[in-house]
Amino acid sequence: MNLTRSAILAATIICIVVGHVNCQAKNETSSAKPESPKEKTNVKQSKLCKKCICDFKNSLLDCSEKLQEWLSTEEWEVLTNGNFVFKTINLEHNNLTSISILPKYDVENLYLANNQIDSIAVGAFQNLTELTVLDLSHNRLTSKVLIPDVFKGPYSVNDFEPLGKLKTLNLGYNDLHSLDADLFEHIRYLEELVLCKNSFHLIDQLSETAISGLLSLKTLDVSYMEIEDLPGTILHGPRDLDTLIAAGNLFKHLPKALERATNLTSLVLNENPIESLVGDNVFPPLTKLNHLSMTFMTKLYKIGPGAFSELQSLTELILSDNKFLNEIDEEALSKNVTGGQYLDYPPLEKVYLNNCNMTTLPKPLLVRWDKLKALDLRFNPWTCDASNDYLINVLIDHVNKTTQVLAKNVQCASPDRLKGVEVLRVANEHLVESSSGSLIWVGLLVVLLIAVPTILGAYVMKRRGCFGVFRRHDSVAVRALYNRTSFNEDFHI
Ligand SMILES: *[C@@H]1O[C@H](CO)[C@@H](O)[C@H](O)[C@H]1NC(C)=O
Ligand SMILES: *[C@@H]1O[C@H](CO)[C@@H](O)[C@H](O)[C@H]1NC(C)=O
Ligand SMILES: *[C@@H]1O[C@H](CO)[C@@H](O)[C@H](O)[C@H]1NC(C)=O
Ligand SMILES: *[C@@H]1O[C@H](CO)[C@@H](O)[C@H](O)[C@H]1NC(C)=O
Ligand SMILES: *[C@@H]1O[C@H](CO)[C@@H](O)[C@H](O)[C@H]1NC(C)=O
Ligand SMILES: *[C@@H]1O[C@H](CO)[C@@H](O)[C@H](O)[C@H]1NC(C)=O
Ligand SMILES: *[C@@H]1O[C@H](CO)[C@@H](O)[C@H](O)[C@H]1NC(C)=O
């Protein structure tokens, strides 16, 4: 009897010590009175909701541009003791300079972009155990400040637990030059990492170790980091990496590290000074890649044989705005199978070649041109003579039938008598003799009768990271937030 009594007493004491966390007073005895539950604060009527925007429908607390400094203790109490838990808190554009240890709160998305944060307390996020998305972009973080323990998780008896739910970390637009090799030790389940617009110049060994240790990584944005290459083993760890964005760097050649990225489905290499894709500098086998973007390449003039041959899943090829691109070899896309007797072609649906320096389009580049839902050939100096017969007498009509808007501004630049004339008009009025006769017309007619005209969607690709990494998250709150914020300003197609 004595034993039970003291056991109950001990339980009660523990309850009081631990607080109400997970603690259920034994109900067998009336002597152990349970703590009366604290009155919850009505969040809706709080001052905080007058200062910030409380969007209950989207579970969003939007304090962007509303704060002079961090939320006060009282304001945090409204939240931690409130009758509503916001899943998303936006504290962007507030001139905040530091982050101290934040109170316990079940926020999932925390946006701290566009402040002037240059210091973060050790374990700043340890009480935010539900944290999934953390945006620290557009701040003043340096490599010195960003130490592994900044991301320390909750304390448990044995050790610090990882911040296991953190999936997305945006460190873009800061002053980082390298990463601590153990930077991600507490957040090792990251799936999306954005490092863009930090001038690394070189991804050193420590940074490489940090990144290649992220075994769950799916999206990596290393754009505008002023790097000339990716280290060879950087992608050895993240075996599931499906999206790599490496725009605006100083790559002169395709990074060799791509050879290991065999699970890639989307690759963005815009704005790199690659001159040509010939010889050894062609894509390695990336059998799952379906989206490739290489736009605004300031030096690209030639895409040679076999350049894309090992990308046999490509559905979307974006090569627009390559001012010097003049030549795409007719064997650029095809892949020799069984010793050259048969050729494989990727199942392309969208090809963008607008604003380049293309003069002719070789028909054998692709067998099933008719499968294209979008073919953008506008603003190129097309040659309108027999050398471009296929474009003039077959393709342009297909383009007009599928996406009429893309048939405009496909104009001849030569010969002089046709300069500035729409290629579609040249076709319609037979201004250039067709050399291959009417067979093509019959074939085309069949094709067109079968083909279902498709409307061209907005010329917008999937954009991540510097391109808006958070857009992918389906939560309404996130979308609501990012419709309003300036994250989009960073887009660089
Ligand atoms: C405690 O027990 C009584 C009866 O045994 C029951 O009616 C009551 O709901 C219990 N309270 C709690 C908090 O479990
Ligand atoms: C942040 O500082 C800038 C410049 O001092 C000022 O214009 C702006 O209003 C400040 N923002 C907030 C939310 O106080
Ligand atoms: C946050 O975590 C720290 C360190 O574990 C702890 O001392 C503090 O009480 C926590 N704050 C809240 C409000 O839970
Ligand atoms: C690609 O992803 C699959 C499935 O996650 C995995 O089993 C495989 O090892 C990955 N391949 C490579 C080369 O990393
Ligand atoms: C475009 O290509 C033509 C050759 O077809 C070349 O003479 C011209 O210099 C190129 N223009 C640019 C801007 O590269
Ligand atoms: C395919 O094989 C043929 C014949 O062997 C060869 O002429 C051609 O260059 C090859 N094409 C590619 C893209 O390798
Ligand atoms: C282009 O397509 C539209 C709609 O399908 C059609 O009305 C028009 O006549 C076509 N233009 C030419 C020049 O063929």
Side-chain angles (χ1 to χ4, degrees):
M1 183 59 195
N2 250 349
L3 208 72
T4 10
R5 276 192 69 98
S6 44
I8 289 165
L9 196 68
T12 314
I13 289 167
I14 290 170
C15 287
I16 291 162
V17 170
V18 183
H20 46 265
V21 183
N22 252 347
C23 190
Q24 262 159 17
K26 290 246 185 277
N27 193 19
E28 285 131 38
T29 164
S30 53
S31 66
K33 267 196 180 162
E35 272 188 303
S36 62
K38 246 185 173 175
E39 192 84 35
K40 296 265 185 196
T41 313
N42 187 332
V43 176
K44 203 168 189 169
Q45 255 120 58
S46 67
K47 273 190 191 150
L48 183 59
C49 283
K50 295 198 174 70
K51 192 169 177 182
C52 301
I53 299 165
C54 292
D55 179 348
F56 294 96
K57 204 167 128 239
N58 292 316
S59 194
L60 163 69
L61 174 65
D62 187 353
C63 299
S64 155
E65 292 182 70
K66 301 278 194 295
L67 306 177
Q68 259 41 261
E69 54 198 34
W70 271 96
L71 298 179
S72 66
T73 315
E74 293 75 44
E75 285 164 338
W76 272 119
E77 261 163 25
V78 169
L79 292 174
T80 54
N81 196 31
N83 60 354
F84 188 87
V85 176
F86 291 105
K87 285 199 172 132
T88 302
I89 298 183
N90 178 6
L91 300 172
E92 298 182 351
H93 292 280
N94 280 319
N95 296 340
L96 304 176
T97 56
S98 64
I99 307 176
S100 45
I101 299 179
L102 299 171
K104 169 98 191 100
Y105 194 65
D106 285 348
V107 64
E108 292 172 16
N109 311 300
L110 180 58
Y111 298 116
L112 287 163
N114 289 293
N115 283 292
Q116 284 145 40
I117 297 166
D118 59 10
S119 76
I120 306 181
V122 162
F125 311 103
Q126 62 186 314
N127 297 326
L128 309 182
T129 47
E130 299 300 311
L131 196 60
T132 312
V133 174
L134 177 60
D135 186 354
L136 292 168
S137 64
H138 295 269
N139 277 297
R140 297 179 179 169
L141 297 175
T142 57
S143 307
K144 221 172 173 179
V145 166
L146 210 61
I147 57 171
D149 279 353
V150 156
F151 299 114
K152 211 152 65 169
Y155 181 75
S156 76
V157 190
N158 299 317
D159 200 357
F160 286 95
E161 315 228 318
L163 274 179
K165 294 197 174 166
L166 193 66
K167 300 283 188 236
T168 297
L169 178 62
N170 191 342
L171 295 172
Y173 295 83
N174 276 291
D175 296 326
L176 303 169
H177 303 300
S178 72
L179 304 178
D180 187 301
D182 299 319
L183 182 60
F184 305 119
E185 69 177 346
H186 301 294
I187 46 175
R188 48 183 181 261
Y189 305 113
L190 275 189
E191 292 179 4
E192 305 190 7
L193 175 64
V194 179
L195 292 170
C196 65
K197 212 75 180 180
N198 284 286
S199 44
F200 271 52
H201 300 291
L202 176 80
I203 295 187
D204 62 18
Q205 188 117 44
L206 299 179
S207 312
E208 181 182 358
T209 305
I211 295 168
S212 66
L214 290 171
L215 305 186
S216 305
L217 202 63
K218 290 192 163 63
T219 299
L220 176 63
D221 187 339
V222 290
S223 300
Y224 307 100
M225 288 173 68
E226 297 171 36
I227 48 177
E228 289 180 12
D229 203 357
L230 291 175
T233 60
I234 193 170
L235 302 179
H236 281 202
R239 300 179 69 86
D240 292 337
L241 193 75
D242 59 33
T243 302
L244 177 63
I245 303 169
N249 281 308
L250 303 171
F251 299 165
K252 292 200 176 93
H253 304 276
L254 297 172
K256 281 270 175 283
L258 286 178
E259 286 170 16
R260 284 298 191 109
T262 49
N263 275 332
L264 272 193
T265 59
S266 182
L267 176 59
V268 177
L269 291 171
N270 303 345
E271 293 177 71
N272 276 290
I274 296 172
E275 291 184 10
S276 61
L277 297 175
V278 292
D280 287 346
N281 192 35
V282 298
F283 279 91
L286 299 174
T287 54
K288 296 182 186 171
L289 194 75
N290 50 50
H291 172 97
L292 175 63
S293 181
M294 296 177 85
T295 68
F296 292 97
M297 311 283 282
T298 49
K299 304 213 159 139
L300 185 68
Y301 68 92
K302 178 174 180 175
I303 293 176
F308 305 130
S309 293
E310 299 294 341
L311 311 178
Q312 287 297 317
S313 296
L314 266 194
T315 54
E316 196 166 28
L317 178 60
I318 305 176
L319 295 170
S320 44
D321 297 284
N322 294 317
K323 286 280 168 231
F324 297 97
L325 181 59
N326 183 242
E327 183 182 350
I328 302 181
D329 192 273
E330 59 180 43
E331 289 179 356
L333 285 157
S334 58
K335 179 180 161 87
N336 271 341
V337 284
T338 62
Q341 205 179 352
Y342 300 103
L343 292 177
D344 274 351
Y345 291 86
L348 281 167
E349 291 175 1
K350 296 178 180 177
V351 175
Y352 297 90
L353 272 170
N354 47 298
N355 302 75
C356 294
N357 190 27
M358 296 293 293
T359 51
T360 60
L361 204 57
K363 175 177 186 288
L365 181 62
L366 204 61
V367 265
R368 299 299 306 269
W369 289 98
D370 58 293
K371 291 214 168 172
L372 290 178
K373 293 173 185 154
L375 174 61
D376 195 341
L377 302 172
R378 296 172 303 160
F379 308 107
N380 279 284
W382 296 111
T383 299
C384 290
D385 62 22
S387 70
N388 215 7
D389 176 66
Y390 187 67
L391 169 61
I392 296 163
N393 289 311
V394 181
L395 261 189
I396 195 65
D397 197 56
H398 172 70
V399 170
N400 184 51
K401 290 266 174 9
T402 48
T403 50
Q404 202 182 344
V405 64
L406 296 184
K408 268 206 168 148
N409 293 307
V410 181
Q411 296 175 348
C412 310
S414 70
D416 277 345
R417 76 178 169 97
L418 293 177
K419 197 168 179 162
V421 177
E422 299 276 327
V423 174
L424 190 62
R425 211 191 117 205
V426 174
N428 266 2
E429 298 173 15
H430 305 285
L431 302 177
V432 174
E433 279 307 304
S434 167
S435 57
S436 20
S438 57
L439 233 161
I440 284 172
W441 285 99
V442 175
L444 180 72
L445 196 68
V446 172
V447 162
L448 288 177
L449 286 174
I450 300 165
V452 184
T454 332
I455 299 154
L456 171 72
Y459 171 43
V460 175
M461 353 168 254
K462 284 174 227 157
R463 292 158 162 175
R464 307 266 163 84
C466 267
F467 305 76
V469 70
F470 300 117
R471 290 197 155 246
R472 215 173 63 153
H473 291 270
D474 288 326
S475 134
V476 182
V478 179
R479 258 182 280 133
L481 172 58
Y482 273 95
N483 284 344
R484 239 172 283 143
T485 62
S486 62
F487 207 82
N488 304 8
E489 287 164 14
D490 311 334
F491 287 176
H492 315 265
I493 299 180

